[in-house]
Amino acid sequence: MFEPAAQSPRRLAWCARALLSPRARLGLLILLLVSAGTAVLVLEPQRLIRDGWPPQMSGATAVLVFAAAYGLCTSALVPRPLLNLAAGALFGSQAGLPAAVAGTVLGAGIAFGLGRLLGQDALRPLLRARPLAMADRQLSDHGFRSMLALRLFPGIPFAAANYCAAISRMGWLPFLLATGLGSVPNTAAYVIAGSRASTPTSPVFLISMAFIAVTGLAAVLVAWRKRAKLRDRPAPAPEASTARKEAPEVREDAPRAAAAPGA
């Protein structure tokens, strides 16, 4: 008679385990990203460049609101170059650069937290391929240095770097510090270009665009050299197995050499 009442806590516990399982959390993360991307397509934040900032909001309040919106947009996979250009066009280089850098760190922190909470447990067991395992080890052991290089040379998309770092064992502080410091040069170039977009033939605009092109080319060259080094590096597993196979042969020859003088 009381069996259904006794089974209800078990069913609740089973449902709770199922909802908190790594796969369920990963599915929630994918759902959040798809929803955020859909919202971006509907709201069209790029209209800020065309229509300008709302006139009823100005000064420091507008800069803070833009930084918060920047962070939310980057976590929703909006391209950062577009937002950096908007920061320069709306607020100029002096106010636009701090707003863009603050929004960059905020958006990276949101993506890192979501990836660490919802995706790490489900995706870490999949890092068995050699390139993925080596990238995970690099991010985990040399977090600040690796993330600083990724931010300075924009070869990997911003969102991809955020979620790759979240899946690794990189700490929060190295991730945020490297993001804030490494994003300044490229962000400044885009913000300055956006602030001088009305005069595309000015030296400042041309220098900023040249800097963007040079850093992009440098990122391609660094990635190509890094890939060549990883391809030419021998795999450690066969070497370890060979060493284990050769060790018994040395031990077998040792008694023969010791018995030779007595014979």
Side-chain angles (χ1 to χ4, degrees):
M1 179 177 180
F2 298 98
E3 185 177 356
Q7 291 181 352
S8 58
R10 298 179 181 177
R11 293 179 180 177
L12 292 176
W14 182 85
C15 292
R17 287 194 300 269
L19 292 175
L20 296 177
S21 64
R23 291 185 179 181
R25 284 181 287 163
L26 179 61
L28 178 60
L29 176 61
I30 296 174
L31 179 61
L32 288 175
L33 293 178
V34 172
S35 301
T38 304
V40 167
L41 293 177
V42 173
L43 298 177
E44 298 181 355
Q46 65 271 17
R47 290 184 300 175
L48 287 175
I49 301 178
R50 183 190 63 206
D51 302 336
W53 193 255
Q56 62 271 20
M57 189 178 299
S58 61
T61 304
V63 174
L64 293 176
V65 171
F66 179 84
Y70 186 114
L72 293 176
C73 288
T74 53
S75 61
L77 309 181
V78 176
R80 283 184 62 248
L82 179 65
L83 297 173
N84 293 333
L85 292 173
L90 295 174
F91 304 106
S93 57
Q94 294 183 351
L97 179 58
V101 173
T104 297
V105 176
L106 177 62
I110 293 174
F112 187 85
L114 289 175
R116 179 63 55 89
L117 179 64
L118 301 178
Q120 187 186 47
D121 294 338
L123 295 177
R124 279 201 66 82
L126 303 179
L127 302 178
R128 297 177 180 177
R130 183 186 174 192
L132 296 177
M134 295 185 70
D136 173 67
R137 183 175 180 181
Q138 181 70 22
L139 290 173
S140 300
D141 297 344
H142 309 284
F144 179 82
R145 184 177 66 186
S146 302
M147 187 53 57
L148 185 65
L150 290 177
R151 301 309 191 195
L152 287 173
F153 300 103
I156 297 180
F158 183 75
N162 294 335
Y163 289 107
C164 288
I167 296 171
S168 72
R169 301 194 185 279
M170 183 188 301
W172 275 89
L173 185 59
F175 173 77
L176 295 178
L177 285 178
T179 297
L181 295 175
S183 300
V184 170
N186 208 262
T187 302
Y190 276 101
V191 171
I192 293 173
S195 65
R196 299 301 180 95
S198 58
T199 56
T201 58
S202 63
V204 176
F205 181 85
L206 295 177
I207 291 173
S208 61
M209 295 303 295
F211 179 83
I212 294 171
V214 169
T215 54
L217 180 61
V220 173
L221 293 177
V222 170
W224 180 77
R225 292 187 61 183
K226 190 69 174 177
R227 180 183 178 184
K229 289 181 179 180
L230 292 177
R231 183 181 54 192
D232 297 338
R233 184 180 299 177
E239 295 179 0
S241 61
T242 304
R244 287 193 298 268
K245 291 179 180 179
E246 292 177 354
E249 296 180 1
V250 175
R251 287 195 298 267
E252 290 175 1
D253 295 340
R256 299 177 183 177

PDB file of all heavy atoms in Angstrom, residues 40-73:
ATOM      1  N   VAL A  40      20.953  36.675 -30.949  1.00  0.00           N
ATOM      2  CA  VAL A  40      21.817  37.633 -31.657  1.00  0.00           C
ATOM      3  C   VAL A  40      21.303  37.873 -33.076  1.00  0.00           C
ATOM      4  O   VAL A  40      21.281  39.011 -33.564  1.00  0.00           O
ATOM      5  CB  VAL A  40      23.263  37.127 -31.670  1.00  0.00           C
ATOM      6  CG1 VAL A  40      24.118  37.922 -32.641  1.00  0.00           C
ATOM      7  CG2 VAL A  40      23.856  37.206 -30.275  1.00  0.00           C
ATOM      8  N   LEU A  41      20.892  36.802 -33.749  1.00  0.00           N
ATOM      9  CA  LEU A  41      20.368  36.960 -35.104  1.00  0.00           C
ATOM     10  C   LEU A  41      19.090  37.786 -35.119  1.00  0.00           C
ATOM     11  O   LEU A  41      18.840  38.546 -36.064  1.00  0.00           O
ATOM     12  CB  LEU A  41      20.109  35.582 -35.722  1.00  0.00           C
ATOM     13  CG  LEU A  41      21.338  34.717 -36.002  1.00  0.00           C
ATOM     14  CD1 LEU A  41      20.918  33.361 -36.539  1.00  0.00           C
ATOM     15  CD2 LEU A  41      22.267  35.409 -36.992  1.00  0.00           C
ATOM     16  N   VAL A  42      18.278  37.659 -34.074  1.00  0.00           N
ATOM     17  CA  VAL A  42      17.015  38.395 -34.033  1.00  0.00           C
ATOM     18  C   VAL A  42      17.242  39.859 -33.635  1.00  0.00           C
ATOM     19  O   VAL A  42      16.687  40.782 -34.245  1.00  0.00           O
ATOM     20  CB  VAL A  42      16.042  37.713 -33.058  1.00  0.00           C
ATOM     21  CG1 VAL A  42      14.785  38.553 -32.871  1.00  0.00           C
ATOM     22  CG2 VAL A  42      15.666  36.327 -33.577  1.00  0.00           C
ATOM     23  N   LEU A  43      18.084  40.082 -32.619  1.00  0.00           N
ATOM     24  CA  LEU A  43      18.269  41.444 -32.100  1.00  0.00           C
ATOM     25  C   LEU A  43      19.212  42.281 -32.961  1.00  0.00           C
ATOM     26  O   LEU A  43      19.130  43.510 -32.932  1.00  0.00           O
ATOM     27  CB  LEU A  43      18.795  41.372 -30.664  1.00  0.00           C
ATOM     28  CG  LEU A  43      17.865  40.695 -29.655  1.00  0.00           C
ATOM     29  CD1 LEU A  43      18.516  40.622 -28.295  1.00  0.00           C
ATOM     30  CD2 LEU A  43      16.531  41.442 -29.559  1.00  0.00           C
ATOM     31  N   GLU A  44      20.132  41.642 -33.677  1.00  0.00           N
ATOM     32  CA  GLU A  44      21.066  42.332 -34.561  1.00  0.00           C
ATOM     33  C   GLU A  44      21.833  43.442 -33.829  1.00  0.00           C
ATOM     34  O   GLU A  44      21.600  44.638 -34.051  1.00  0.00           O
ATOM     35  CB  GLU A  44      20.339  42.928 -35.767  1.00  0.00           C
ATOM     36  CG  GLU A  44      19.668  41.899 -36.649  1.00  0.00           C
ATOM     37  CD  GLU A  44      18.985  42.536 -37.845  1.00  0.00           C
ATOM     38  OE1 GLU A  44      18.954  43.781 -37.919  1.00  0.00           O
ATOM     39  OE2 GLU A  44      18.483  41.797 -38.699  1.00  0.00           O
ATOM     40  N   PRO A  45      22.764  43.084 -32.946  1.00  0.00           N
ATOM     41  CA  PRO A  45      23.513  44.128 -32.223  1.00  0.00           C
ATOM     42  C   PRO A  45      24.398  44.970 -33.129  1.00  0.00           C
ATOM     43  O   PRO A  45      24.827  46.057 -32.732  1.00  0.00           O
ATOM     44  CB  PRO A  45      24.360  43.312 -31.229  1.00  0.00           C
ATOM     45  CG  PRO A  45      24.467  41.951 -31.842  1.00  0.00           C
ATOM     46  CD  PRO A  45      23.188  41.727 -32.564  1.00  0.00           C
ATOM     47  N   GLN A  46      24.683  44.525 -34.349  1.00  0.00           N
ATOM     48  CA  GLN A  46      25.495  45.324 -35.253  1.00  0.00           C
ATOM     49  C   GLN A  46      24.798  46.607 -35.693  1.00  0.00           C
ATOM     50  O   GLN A  46      25.425  47.496 -36.292  1.00  0.00           O
ATOM     51  CB  GLN A  46      25.881  44.503 -36.489  1.00  0.00           C
ATOM     52  CG  GLN A  46      24.718  44.100 -37.367  1.00  0.00           C
ATOM     53  CD  GLN A  46      24.111  42.768 -36.960  1.00  0.00           C
ATOM     54  OE1 GLN A  46      24.350  42.294 -35.846  1.00  0.00           O
ATOM     55  NE2 GLN A  46      23.341  42.171 -37.854  1.00  0.00           N
ATOM     56  N   ARG A  47      23.506  46.723 -35.359  1.00  0.00           N
ATOM     57  CA  ARG A  47      22.809  47.960 -35.702  1.00  0.00           C
ATOM     58  C   ARG A  47      23.341  49.156 -34.930  1.00  0.00           C
ATOM     59  O   ARG A  47      23.082  50.306 -35.306  1.00  0.00           O
ATOM     60  CB  ARG A  47      21.317  47.797 -35.425  1.00  0.00           C
ATOM     61  CG  ARG A  47      20.599  46.846 -36.374  1.00  0.00           C
ATOM     62  CD  ARG A  47      19.123  46.808 -36.095  1.00  0.00           C
ATOM     63  NE  ARG A  47      18.833  46.370 -34.736  1.00  0.00           N
ATOM     64  CZ  ARG A  47      17.606  46.334 -34.203  1.00  0.00           C
ATOM     65  NH1 ARG A  47      16.565  46.730 -34.930  1.00  0.00           N
ATOM     66  NH2 ARG A  47      17.426  45.909 -32.963  1.00  0.00           N
ATOM     67  N   LEU A  48      24.070  48.903 -33.825  1.00  0.00           N
ATOM     68  CA  LEU A  48      24.650  50.018 -33.073  1.00  0.00           C
ATOM     69  C   LEU A  48      25.615  50.836 -33.929  1.00  0.00           C
ATOM     70  O   LEU A  48      25.716  52.056 -33.782  1.00  0.00           O
ATOM     71  CB  LEU A  48      25.380  49.488 -31.835  1.00  0.00           C
ATOM     72  CG  LEU A  48      24.499  48.988 -30.689  1.00  0.00           C
ATOM     73  CD1 LEU A  48      25.365  48.378 -29.596  1.00  0.00           C
ATOM     74  CD2 LEU A  48      23.658  50.127 -30.132  1.00  0.00           C
ATOM     75  N   ILE A  49      26.336  50.166 -34.809  1.00  0.00           N
ATOM     76  CA  ILE A  49      27.266  50.893 -35.670  1.00  0.00           C
ATOM     77  C   ILE A  49      26.506  51.788 -36.646  1.00  0.00           C
ATOM     78  O   ILE A  49      26.923  52.912 -36.951  1.00  0.00           O
ATOM     79  CB  ILE A  49      28.170  49.906 -36.419  1.00  0.00           C
ATOM     80  CG1 ILE A  49      28.956  49.044 -35.414  1.00  0.00           C
ATOM     81  CG2 ILE A  49      29.138  50.634 -37.341  1.00  0.00           C
ATOM     82  CD1 ILE A  49      29.843  48.015 -36.064  1.00  0.00           C
ATOM     83  N   ARG A  50      25.366  51.300 -37.108  1.00  0.00           N
ATOM     84  CA  ARG A  50      24.600  52.058 -38.100  1.00  0.00           C
ATOM     85  C   ARG A  50      23.731  53.134 -37.455  1.00  0.00           C
ATOM     86  O   ARG A  50      23.704  54.283 -37.922  1.00  0.00           O
ATOM     87  CB  ARG A  50      23.732  51.091 -38.900  1.00  0.00           C
ATOM     88  CG  ARG A  50      22.916  51.727 -40.022  1.00  0.00           C
ATOM     89  CD  ARG A  50      21.925  50.718 -40.578  1.00  0.00           C
ATOM     90  NE  ARG A  50      20.964  50.322 -39.553  1.00  0.00           N
ATOM     91  CZ  ARG A  50      20.324  49.153 -39.560  1.00  0.00           C
ATOM     92  NH1 ARG A  50      20.583  48.255 -40.492  1.00  0.00           N
ATOM     93  NH2 ARG A  50      19.439  48.876 -38.608  1.00  0.00           N
ATOM     94  N   ASP A  51      23.045  52.781 -36.353  1.00  0.00           N
ATOM     95  CA  ASP A  51      22.092  53.704 -35.752  1.00  0.00           C
ATOM     96  C   ASP A  51      22.681  54.546 -34.634  1.00  0.00           C
ATOM     97  O   ASP A  51      22.101  55.563 -34.251  1.00  0.00           O
ATOM     98  CB  ASP A  51      20.881  52.923 -35.211  1.00  0.00           C
ATOM     99  CG  ASP A  51      20.196  52.116 -36.300  1.00  0.00           C
ATOM    100  OD1 ASP A  51      20.330  52.491 -37.497  1.00  0.00           O
ATOM    101  OD2 ASP A  51      19.546  51.100 -35.975  1.00  0.00           O
ATOM    102  N   GLY A  52      23.820  54.096 -34.053  1.00  0.00           N
ATOM    103  CA  GLY A  52      24.402  54.849 -32.957  1.00  0.00           C
ATOM    104  C   GLY A  52      23.819  54.445 -31.612  1.00  0.00           C
ATOM    105  O   GLY A  52      22.849  53.684 -31.511  1.00  0.00           O
ATOM    106  N   TRP A  53      24.443  54.965 -30.539  1.00  0.00           N
ATOM    107  CA  TRP A  53      24.012  54.654 -29.172  1.00  0.00           C
ATOM    108  C   TRP A  53      22.741  55.437 -28.850  1.00  0.00           C
ATOM    109  O   TRP A  53      22.552  56.561 -29.328  1.00  0.00           O
ATOM    110  CB  TRP A  53      25.122  55.014 -28.199  1.00  0.00           C
ATOM    111  CG  TRP A  53      24.916  54.466 -26.817  1.00  0.00           C
ATOM    112  CD1 TRP A  53      24.536  55.157 -25.712  1.00  0.00           C
ATOM    113  CD2 TRP A  53      25.082  53.112 -26.394  1.00  0.00           C
ATOM    114  NE1 TRP A  53      24.454  54.325 -24.626  1.00  0.00           N
ATOM    115  CE2 TRP A  53      24.780  53.056 -25.019  1.00  0.00           C
ATOM    116  CE3 TRP A  53      25.447  51.930 -27.049  1.00  0.00           C
ATOM    117  CZ2 TRP A  53      24.846  51.876 -24.292  1.00  0.00           C
ATOM    118  CZ3 TRP A  53      25.503  50.761 -26.325  1.00  0.00           C
ATOM    119  CH2 TRP A  53      25.204  50.740 -24.968  1.00  0.00           C
ATOM    120  N   PRO A  54      21.819  54.892 -28.043  1.00  0.00           N
ATOM    121  CA  PRO A  54      20.601  55.634 -27.678  1.00  0.00           C
ATOM    122  C   PRO A  54      20.934  56.979 -27.051  1.00  0.00           C
ATOM    123  O   PRO A  54      21.786  57.073 -26.154  1.00  0.00           O
ATOM    124  CB  PRO A  54      19.907  54.704 -26.675  1.00  0.00           C
ATOM    125  CG  PRO A  54      20.417  53.342 -27.016  1.00  0.00           C
ATOM    126  CD  PRO A  54      21.824  53.528 -27.487  1.00  0.00           C
ATOM    127  N   PRO A  55      20.311  58.053 -27.482  1.00  0.00           N
ATOM    128  CA  PRO A  55      20.679  59.399 -26.986  1.00  0.00           C
ATOM    129  C   PRO A  55      20.356  59.615 -25.515  1.00  0.00           C
ATOM    130  O   PRO A  55      20.961  60.471 -24.875  1.00  0.00           O
ATOM    131  CB  PRO A  55      19.855  60.328 -27.882  1.00  0.00           C
ATOM    132  CG  PRO A  55      18.718  59.488 -28.376  1.00  0.00           C
ATOM    133  CD  PRO A  55      19.245  58.106 -28.485  1.00  0.00           C
ATOM    134  N   GLN A  56      19.411  58.863 -24.964  1.00  0.00           N
ATOM    135  CA  GLN A  56      19.059  59.062 -23.562  1.00  0.00           C
ATOM    136  C   GLN A  56      20.086  58.491 -22.603  1.00  0.00           C
ATOM    137  O   GLN A  56      19.962  58.664 -21.381  1.00  0.00           O
ATOM    138  CB  GLN A  56      17.690  58.447 -23.254  1.00  0.00           C
ATOM    139  CG  GLN A  56      17.609  56.943 -23.459  1.00  0.00           C
ATOM    140  CD  GLN A  56      17.200  56.588 -24.872  1.00  0.00           C
ATOM    141  OE1 GLN A  56      17.333  57.405 -25.794  1.00  0.00           O
ATOM    142  NE2 GLN A  56      16.684  55.375 -25.053  1.00  0.00           N
ATOM    143  N   MET A  57      21.117  57.828 -23.095  1.00  0.00           N
ATOM    144  CA  MET A  57      22.153  57.244 -22.244  1.00  0.00           C
ATOM    145  C   MET A  57      23.507  57.756 -22.713  1.00  0.00           C
ATOM    146  O   MET A  57      23.861  57.608 -23.892  1.00  0.00           O
ATOM    147  CB  MET A  57      22.113  55.716 -22.319  1.00  0.00           C
ATOM    148  CG  MET A  57      23.004  55.013 -21.320  1.00  0.00           C
ATOM    149  SD  MET A  57      22.841  53.216 -21.466  1.00  0.00           S
ATOM    150  CE  MET A  57      21.102  52.989 -21.103  1.00  0.00           C
ATOM    151  N   SER A  58      24.257  58.376 -21.820  1.00  0.00           N
ATOM    152  CA  SER A  58      25.537  58.957 -22.199  1.00  0.00           C
ATOM    153  C   SER A  58      26.481  58.916 -21.009  1.00  0.00           C
ATOM    154  O   SER A  58      26.105  58.540 -19.896  1.00  0.00           O
ATOM    155  CB  SER A  58      25.351  60.408 -22.683  1.00  0.00           C
ATOM    156  OG  SER A  58      24.810  61.202 -21.633  1.00  0.00           O
ATOM    157  N   GLY A  59      27.730  59.307 -21.251  1.00  0.00           N
ATOM    158  CA  GLY A  59      28.716  59.394 -20.187  1.00  0.00           C
ATOM    159  C   GLY A  59      29.200  58.040 -19.716  1.00  0.00           C
ATOM    160  O   GLY A  59      29.209  57.043 -20.450  1.00  0.00           O
ATOM    161  N   ALA A  60      29.587  57.994 -18.433  1.00  0.00           N
ATOM    162  CA  ALA A  60      30.125  56.766 -17.851  1.00  0.00           C
ATOM    163  C   ALA A  60      29.085  55.658 -17.818  1.00  0.00           C
ATOM    164  O   ALA A  60      29.427  54.475 -17.953  1.00  0.00           O
ATOM    165  CB  ALA A  60      30.646  57.048 -16.446  1.00  0.00           C
ATOM    166  N   THR A  61      27.825  56.021 -17.649  1.00  0.00           N
ATOM    167  CA  THR A  61      26.773  54.997 -17.633  1.00  0.00           C
ATOM    168  C   THR A  61      26.697  54.264 -18.957  1.00  0.00           C
ATOM    169  O   THR A  61      26.565  53.032 -18.999  1.00  0.00           O
ATOM    170  CB  THR A  61      25.416  55.640 -17.310  1.00  0.00           C
ATOM    171  OG1 THR A  61      25.500  56.342 -16.069  1.00  0.00           O
ATOM    172  CG2 THR A  61      24.326  54.583 -17.235  1.00  0.00           C
ATOM    173  N   ALA A  62      26.805  55.007 -20.031  1.00  0.00           N
ATOM    174  CA  ALA A  62      26.757  54.378 -21.354  1.00  0.00           C
ATOM    175  C   ALA A  62      27.949  53.453 -21.564  1.00  0.00           C
ATOM    176  O   ALA A  62      27.803  52.361 -22.138  1.00  0.00           O
ATOM    177  CB  ALA A  62      26.722  55.456 -22.432  1.00  0.00           C
ATOM    178  N   VAL A  63      29.138  53.858 -21.089  1.00  0.00           N
ATOM    179  CA  VAL A  63      30.323  53.017 -21.242  1.00  0.00           C
ATOM    180  C   VAL A  63      30.161  51.722 -20.446  1.00  0.00           C
ATOM    181  O   VAL A  63      30.496  50.630 -20.932  1.00  0.00           O
ATOM    182  CB  VAL A  63      31.581  53.792 -20.806  1.00  0.00           C
ATOM    183  CG1 VAL A  63      32.804  52.883 -20.831  1.00  0.00           C
ATOM    184  CG2 VAL A  63      31.801  54.994 -21.710  1.00  0.00           C
ATOM    185  N   LEU A  64      29.654  51.807 -19.218  1.00  0.00           N
ATOM    186  CA  LEU A  64      29.458  50.614 -18.396  1.00  0.00           C
ATOM    187  C   LEU A  64      28.409  49.683 -18.999  1.00  0.00           C
ATOM    188  O   LEU A  64      28.590  48.459 -19.014  1.00  0.00           O
ATOM    189  CB  LEU A  64      29.058  51.018 -16.979  1.00  0.00           C
ATOM    190  CG  LEU A  64      30.124  51.741 -16.156  1.00  0.00           C
ATOM    191  CD1 LEU A  64      29.547  52.179 -14.810  1.00  0.00           C
ATOM    192  CD2 LEU A  64      31.343  50.857 -15.950  1.00  0.00           C
ATOM    193  N   VAL A  65      27.325  50.254 -19.482  1.00  0.00           N
ATOM    194  CA  VAL A  65      26.285  49.430 -20.099  1.00  0.00           C
ATOM    195  C   VAL A  65      26.815  48.755 -21.357  1.00  0.00           C
ATOM    196  O   VAL A  65      26.543  47.572 -21.623  1.00  0.00           O
ATOM    197  CB  VAL A  65      25.037  50.279 -20.402  1.00  0.00           C
ATOM    198  CG1 VAL A  65      24.030  49.486 -21.233  1.00  0.00           C
ATOM    199  CG2 VAL A  65      24.396  50.753 -19.110  1.00  0.00           C
ATOM    200  N   PHE A  66      27.602  49.482 -22.132  1.00  0.00           N
ATOM    201  CA  PHE A  66      28.178  48.889 -23.343  1.00  0.00           C
ATOM    202  C   PHE A  66      29.139  47.759 -22.984  1.00  0.00           C
ATOM    203  O   PHE A  66      29.154  46.721 -23.658  1.00  0.00           O
ATOM    204  CB  PHE A  66      28.907  49.952 -24.161  1.00  0.00           C
ATOM    205  CG  PHE A  66      29.544  49.407 -25.406  1.00  0.00           C
ATOM    206  CD1 PHE A  66      28.808  49.257 -26.566  1.00  0.00           C
ATOM    207  CD2 PHE A  66      30.886  49.030 -25.412  1.00  0.00           C
ATOM    208  CE1 PHE A  66      29.394  48.742 -27.723  1.00  0.00           C
ATOM    209  CE2 PHE A  66      31.468  48.520 -26.564  1.00  0.00           C
ATOM    210  CZ  PHE A  66      30.725  48.368 -27.716  1.00  0.00           C
ATOM    211  N   ALA A  67      29.949  47.941 -21.933  1.00  0.00           N
ATOM    212  CA  ALA A  67      30.876  46.878 -21.524  1.00  0.00           C
ATOM    213  C   ALA A  67      30.118  45.624 -21.105  1.00  0.00           C
ATOM    214  O   ALA A  67      30.511  44.500 -21.450  1.00  0.00           O
ATOM    215  CB  ALA A  67      31.767  47.376 -20.385  1.00  0.00           C
ATOM    216  N   ALA A  68      29.015  45.799 -20.360  1.00  0.00           N
ATOM    217  CA  ALA A  68      28.212  44.644 -19.965  1.00  0.00           C
ATOM    218  C   ALA A  68      27.572  43.972 -21.178  1.00  0.00           C
ATOM    219  O   ALA A  68      27.566  42.733 -21.299  1.00  0.00           O
ATOM    220  CB  ALA A  68      27.140  45.079 -18.970  1.00  0.00           C
ATOM    221  N   ALA A  69      27.030  44.789 -22.103  1.00  0.00           N
ATOM    222  CA  ALA A  69      26.446  44.215 -23.315  1.00  0.00           C
ATOM    223  C   ALA A  69      27.505  43.542 -24.174  1.00  0.00           C
ATOM    224  O   ALA A  69      27.252  42.497 -24.794  1.00  0.00           O
ATOM    225  CB  ALA A  69      25.744  45.317 -24.108  1.00  0.00           C
ATOM    226  N   TYR A  70      28.701  44.097 -24.195  1.00  0.00           N
ATOM    227  CA  TYR A  70      29.817  43.495 -24.939  1.00  0.00           C
ATOM    228  C   TYR A  70      30.114  42.101 -24.389  1.00  0.00           C
ATOM    229  O   TYR A  70      30.289  41.135 -25.154  1.00  0.00           O
ATOM    230  CB  TYR A  70      31.037  44.408 -24.792  1.00  0.00           C
ATOM    231  CG  TYR A  70      32.251  44.027 -25.603  1.00  0.00           C
ATOM    232  CD1 TYR A  70      32.701  44.849 -26.620  1.00  0.00           C
ATOM    233  CD2 TYR A  70      32.981  42.871 -25.341  1.00  0.00           C
ATOM    234  CE1 TYR A  70      33.828  44.518 -27.367  1.00  0.00           C
ATOM    235  CE2 TYR A  70      34.107  42.530 -26.065  1.00  0.00           C
ATOM    236  CZ  TYR A  70      34.516  43.366 -27.076  1.00  0.00           C
ATOM    237  OH  TYR A  70      35.631  43.039 -27.803  1.00  0.00           O
ATOM    238  N   GLY A  71      30.182  41.978 -23.056  1.00  0.00           N
ATOM    239  CA  GLY A  71      30.460  40.676 -22.453  1.00  0.00           C
ATOM    240  C   GLY A  71      29.393  39.649 -22.779  1.00  0.00           C
ATOM    241  O   GLY A  71      29.711  38.497 -23.111  1.00  0.00           O
ATOM    242  N   LEU A  72      28.145  40.051 -22.713  1.00  0.00           N
ATOM    243  CA  LEU A  72      27.066  39.118 -23.028  1.00  0.00           C
ATOM    244  C   LEU A  72      27.093  38.721 -24.501  1.00  0.00           C
ATOM    245  O   LEU A  72      26.840  37.563 -24.850  1.00  0.00           O
ATOM    246  CB  LEU A  72      25.721  39.756 -22.677  1.00  0.00           C
ATOM    247  CG  LEU A  72      25.455  39.991 -21.181  1.00  0.00           C
ATOM    248  CD1 LEU A  72      24.131  40.722 -20.982  1.00  0.00           C
ATOM    249  CD2 LEU A  72      25.463  38.686 -20.408  1.00  0.00           C
ATOM    250  N   CYS A  73      27.410  39.675 -25.362  1.00  0.00           N
ATOM    251  CA  CYS A  73      27.436  39.373 -26.796  1.00  0.00           C
ATOM    252  C   CYS A  73      28.579  38.424 -27.153  1.00  0.00           C
ATOM    253  O   CYS A  73      28.407  37.515 -27.964  1.00  0.00           O
ATOM    254  CB  CYS A  73      27.547  40.664 -27.599  1.00  0.00           C
ATOM    255  SG  CYS A  73      26.051  41.679 -27.613  1.00  0.00           S
TER     256      CYS A  73
END
